[in-house]
């Protein structure tokens, strides 16, 4: 569950917030004037989330290609791979 902090507290507590993000792998929500403004998180978690989002986007594109009939059969793929390795 994310933690909510006012921006003034963030200015004075960068290292505490950084340690929290790394220790618990949870984001910290920074508020400004009482409203959510930004989220701070461990870079490892950010990269994982970004990677998952990119994978989901690729899978959605693949689903659309399949719906349109844009795909190769197993035999067609085997032939393409055979040609690729023969030319390598």
């Amino acid at each position: 569950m994310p933690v909510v902090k006012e921006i003034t507290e963030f200015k004075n507590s960068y290292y505490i917030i950084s340690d929290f993000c790394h220790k618990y792998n949870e984001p910290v929500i920074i508020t400004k004037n009482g409203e959510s403004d930004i989220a701070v998180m461990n870079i490892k978690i950010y990269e994982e989330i970004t990677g998952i989002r990119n994978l989901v986007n690729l899978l959605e594109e693949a689903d659309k290609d399949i719906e349109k009939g844009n795909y190769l059969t197993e035999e067609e793929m085997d032939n393409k791979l055979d040609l690729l390795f023969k030319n390598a």
Side-chain angles (χ1 to χ4, degrees):
M1 184 61 77
V3 172
V4 178
K5 298 282 183 185
E6 178 61 37
I7 195 160
T8 54
E9 188 174 348
F10 179 73
K11 289 178 187 176
N12 301 326
S13 307
Y14 169 80
Y15 293 104
I16 293 169
I17 292 171
S18 175
D19 289 344
F20 175 90
C21 291
H22 288 281
K23 182 176 180 180
Y24 297 104
N25 289 327
E26 291 287 342
V28 174
I29 309 274
I30 307 296
T31 63
K32 184 175 175 183
N33 299 322
E35 299 208 11
S36 296
D37 186 47
I38 60 172
V40 179
M41 67 179 65
N42 174 336
I43 192 68
K44 181 182 118 197
I45 300 301
Y46 171 79
E47 289 171 347
E48 287 176 13
I49 291 169
T50 302
I52 291 168
R53 189 182 72 213
N54 290 340
L55 177 59
V56 167
N57 289 341
L58 289 172
L59 291 171
E60 287 173 348
E61 287 178 34
D63 281 343
K64 289 176 186 174
D65 280 339
I66 290 169
E67 288 174 7
K68 293 177 183 176
N70 296 333
Y71 60 88
L72 299 175
T73 65
E74 183 178 355
E75 183 179 345
E76 291 169 328
M77 189 65 191
D78 284 343
N79 290 338
K80 283 191 176 272
L81 288 172
D82 286 344
L83 285 173
L84 178 67
F85 287 112
K86 283 181 186 175
N87 294 328

